[in-house]
Amino acid sequence: MKKLTIHISALLLLFGAAACSIDNYPAPDSQLYGTFLDAETSEPVEQDIIRGSTIEFIEHGYASQTKQTMIIKNDGSYRNNLIFANTYTITPVRGNFVPMAAQEVTVKGETKLDFKVQPYIRVKEASIEKVGTKIVAKFKLQQTVLNNVRKIGLYAHPEPSVGEPMRVALAEQEINGAIDPNKVYQLEIDIPSNSNVLKTGNQYFFRAGAIIDAPESKFNYAKAVRIAL
């Protein structure tokens, strides 16, 4: 019985030492942040926070080469405050911009990394306002690639993260062709027809965008506008 007690005590001591060893691993000591910027205009490239563009990164020094991901905010910015100082292979993927090559980046402390990208579409001269009982969006489009523009849309949601994947009301129009950069496109959301989700007296965010016909492409947007109904 005495031997059994000694063995159990030894095992508990061993497990305790292992737990302390795990707890003593260093915590992430660096931050990586930046913004997706239009290479031509230097303006932030608006994104979807749900099913939007993604950053893949692989930390060097490990055999597994596991891909990790970072989400991009609606305003085109991103930030990771829990990353280890090291060298990484970083690639923006599945975006609303022309695909980019991977790049090696050394992260140490506060590290800023902006991505200069070519958005598939620029939504220009956008205005969204309440006109009578409708929300009316007017805008022009600038197409930067030869692919057809698939569709345009106007989306509404109580949160500023509004977009095609996150909306309570919408108006869309199929394009399926090249666009005229001088044409003013117009979309309307009828408020009474959406009274079950757009309540009079409340405020909502509205956002206009367009999507190119390309593999894994995402919507390009103008900035969201808050309107009281």
Side-chain angles (χ1 to χ4, degrees), residues 68-121:
Q68 303 178 69
T69 59
M70 286 183 277
I71 302 301
I72 307 166
K73 298 178 183 178
N74 278 56
D75 63 1
S77 68
Y78 72 95
R79 187 173 188 96
N80 185 345
N81 288 328
L82 297 172
I83 192 168
F84 290 98
N86 204 341
T87 301
Y88 294 82
T89 298
I90 298 180
T91 315
V93 295
R94 297 181 292 280
N96 57 1
F97 44 81
V98 174
M100 301 179 65
Q103 56 183 303
E104 288 192 2
V105 178
T106 299
V107 176
K108 185 176 182 180
E110 285 268 348
T111 303
K112 183 178 182 180
L113 176 64
D114 290 333
F115 295 98
K116 295 291 185 74
V117 301
Q118 178 185 331
Y120 286 126
I121 303 168

Side-chain angles (χ1 to χ4, degrees), residues 33 43 57 73-74:
Y33 68 98
E43 295 178 352
F57 62 104
K73 298 178 183 178
N74 278 56

Side-chain angles (χ1 to χ4, degrees), residues 46 51 132 136 168 188 194 222:
E46 297 267 320
R51 300 200 309 271
V136 179
V168 295
E188 300 178 355
N194 292 276

